[in-house]
Amino acid sequence: MFILAIKLLFCFSLVYIYLINTITLAQPVLVYNRCQNKENFTINSTYQTNLNATLSALHTTNSGLGFFNFSAGEGNNTVNSIALCRGDVGPDACSICLNESIVNLRRLCPNQKEAIAGYDICLLQYSNNDLLVYPQEKDYFVQFNPRIATDIDRFNGALRPLMDELRGTAAAGGPLLKFAAGNRTGPDFDRIYGLVQCSPYLTEEQCSECLEDQVSRIGLHDNGKMGGKIVLPTCNFRFEIYPFFNQSALAIPSPPVRPPSPSSSPPPGTNTKISASYKLEG
Ligand SMILES: *[C@@H]1O[C@H](CO)[C@@H](O)[C@H](O)[C@H]1NC(C)=O
Ligand SMILES: *[C@@H]1O[C@H](CO)[C@@H](O)[C@H](O)[C@H]1NC(C)=O
Ligand SMILES: *[C@@H]1O[C@H](CO)[C@@H](O)[C@H](O)[C@H]1NC(C)=O
Ligand SMILES: *[C@@H]1O[C@H](CO)[C@@H](O)[C@H](O)[C@H]1NC(C)=O
Ligand SMILES: *[C@@H]1O[C@H](CO)[C@@H](O)[C@H](O)[C@H]1NC(C)=O
Ligand SMILES: *[C@@H]1O[C@H](CO)[C@@H](O)[C@H](O)[C@H]1NC(C)=O
Ligand SMILES: *[C@@H]1O[C@H](CO)[C@@H](O)[C@H](O)[C@H]1NC(C)=O
């Protein structure tokens, strides 16, 4: 009886874990969104028709490595859209995230010409203005783990070299994928895990600058925090003291033709307590 009970419990936990994973795969987590209220469109206008057209075609434009770019319409009614999936995310999860972000962003920003939605594993933007530019408006999302390292200098002594190394690798990644993730032994705990990514259309210098600008913000605002995330339209990074990316997907096949292997497991849910703040600049 006792053994049976243990077994049942075990099976139940497996189902539970499976359900959690399935939910994570099916419903990517919205990290932030912004509706640009400066310009609106009217219902049933040409702009809305073009917006519908660009968003329905966007998923067909995958570069092979998770970057999407499509525009529709002419002159003032042009609608541009781009999307980017995290570099360790397989094509299925990427596609689900893209679809989810389209549905949600239209609901959240029903009449704005320009809007952006950042998910844990993908980013979607549409606008009447050109989106393939750098720098974009300095709007960014910041989220930090409230836990502070006991020895801030030693923590930064491990974190900064890791982020610098990842930045160099991502920036040198070429025109299709600018992504890097890795880990390093830290002081009060086993490891620090870091991930950085730029929009692939940035040059190596722009990518490096975008990320360096972000990394310097750690020291300015959130020194010693044991986890954090900053998302700009053009680049983003995250670090944690637990693994949060798919290590096995990092040996990314040389581009493009075939997308990364679909065998990737779903990303772990963000189940630690995190303080969030939304910062606007300029
Ligand atoms: C656009 O619409 C939003 C709400 O839907 C409103 O708050 C905003 O003032 C509008 N902007 C303009 C320029 O009309
Ligand atoms: C938009 O078009 C649809 C279908 O043509 C129509 O049913 C709806 O009333 C229109 N809405 C507005 C606000 O004009
Ligand atoms: C655009 O798509 C939205 C959402 O699917 C729909 O409500 C709206 O009627 C469509 N508008 C046009 C002009 O096609
Ligand atoms: C975006 O798509 C347009 C065509 O719609 C293409 O001309 C352009 O090269 C693409 N840019 C990037 C960076 O993928
Ligand atoms: C396009 O927008 C500009 C500035 O917003 C305006 O001057 C121009 O008349 C518009 N053109 C059309 C065809 O609506
Ligand atoms: C995403 O949407 C497109 C078109 O709406 C559809 O063809 C595709 O199967 C969807 N992908 C997923 C994973 O639901
Ligand atoms: C840490 O990174 C190395 C590669 O630099 C990798 O081989 C190892 O599996 C990673 N460790 C963990 C726990 O993810």
Side-chain angles (χ1 to χ4, degrees):
M1 272 306 268
F2 182 66
I3 288 171
L4 182 66
I6 300 268
K7 267 196 169 168
L8 280 176
L9 194 65
F10 184 61
C11 288
F12 182 75
S13 336
L14 280 184
V15 170
Y16 183 63
I17 289 164
Y18 174 76
L19 282 177
I20 298 237
N21 282 343
T22 308
I23 287 165
T24 310
L25 185 63
Q27 292 185 314
V29 178
L30 179 69
V31 181
Y32 83 117
N33 76 283
R34 175 175 61 87
C35 310
Q36 178 58 265
N37 279 321
K38 272 188 288 191
E39 289 183 77
N40 296 332
F41 61 81
T42 48
I43 303 303
N44 291 348
S45 61
T46 307
Y47 192 89
Q48 191 185 29
T49 305
N50 293 341
L51 177 62
N52 286 9
T54 186
L55 293 180
S56 4
L58 188 58
H59 75 279
T60 65
T61 65
N62 195 342
S63 67
L65 294 174
F67 179 67
F68 305 79
N69 151 37
F70 192 78
S71 303
E74 288 179 338
N76 286 10
N77 287 314
T78 303
V79 185
N80 304 300
S81 63
I82 60 173
L84 178 66
C85 283
R86 211 171 74 183
D88 62 327
V89 165
D92 292 345
C94 178
S95 174
I96 289 170
C97 189
L98 179 56
N99 284 11
E100 173 97 1
S101 63
I102 289 173
V103 171
N104 262 333
L105 194 53
R106 310 202 58 176
R107 186 174 51 77
L108 293 164
C109 311
N111 63 337
Q112 283 82 359
K113 288 192 173 181
E114 179 173 312
I116 181 168
Y119 281 75
D120 50 353
I121 56 166
C122 73
L123 186 78
L124 167 73
Q125 281 178 274
Y126 53 77
S127 176
N128 54 334
N129 299 310
D130 191 3
L131 292 171
L132 300 172
V133 293
Y134 174 84
Q136 289 195 16
E137 260 183 277
K138 282 196 170 180
D139 241 24
Y140 63 98
F141 173 82
V142 188
Q143 204 173 38
F144 279 97
N145 185 326
R147 277 181 66 194
I148 307 272
T150 45
D151 186 335
I152 291 176
D153 288 342
R154 283 181 64 207
F155 184 83
N156 287 340
L159 176 62
R160 287 189 183 276
L162 171 64
M163 295 319 259
D164 283 345
E165 186 189 316
L166 295 177
R167 176 166 55 89
T169 307
L176 287 164
L177 185 70
K178 289 190 169 57
F179 171 79
N183 67 78
R184 200 171 263 242
T185 308
D188 298 331
F189 37 81
D190 286 332
R191 277 172 197 286
I192 303 178
Y193 297 83
L195 176 152
V196 307
Q197 185 161 15
C198 293
S199 292
Y201 61 85
L202 265 59
T203 66
E204 181 169 356
E205 292 71 26
Q206 289 168 342
C207 176
S208 188
E209 181 189 273
C210 187
L211 289 169
E212 191 166 18
D213 192 34
Q214 290 192 17
V215 170
S216 67
R217 284 189 184 132
I218 304 176
L220 287 178
H221 298 298
D222 296 280
N223 207 8
K225 298 277 170 70
M226 294 170 81
K229 179 194 284 185
I230 297 186
V231 183
L232 268 77
T234 42
C235 70
N236 67 82
F237 84 75
R238 181 174 173 190
F239 68 95
E240 305 285 358
I241 53 170
Y242 58 86
F244 61 92
F245 51 82
N246 183 0
Q247 182 73 40
S248 63
L250 296 183
I252 285 157
S254 40
V257 191
R258 280 196 325 156
S261 131
S263 68
S264 60
S265 61
T270 46
N271 49 7
T272 47
K273 273 192 187 161
I274 286 178
S275 73
S277 59
Y278 188 89
K279 300 195 181 179
L280 288 172
E281 242 186 29

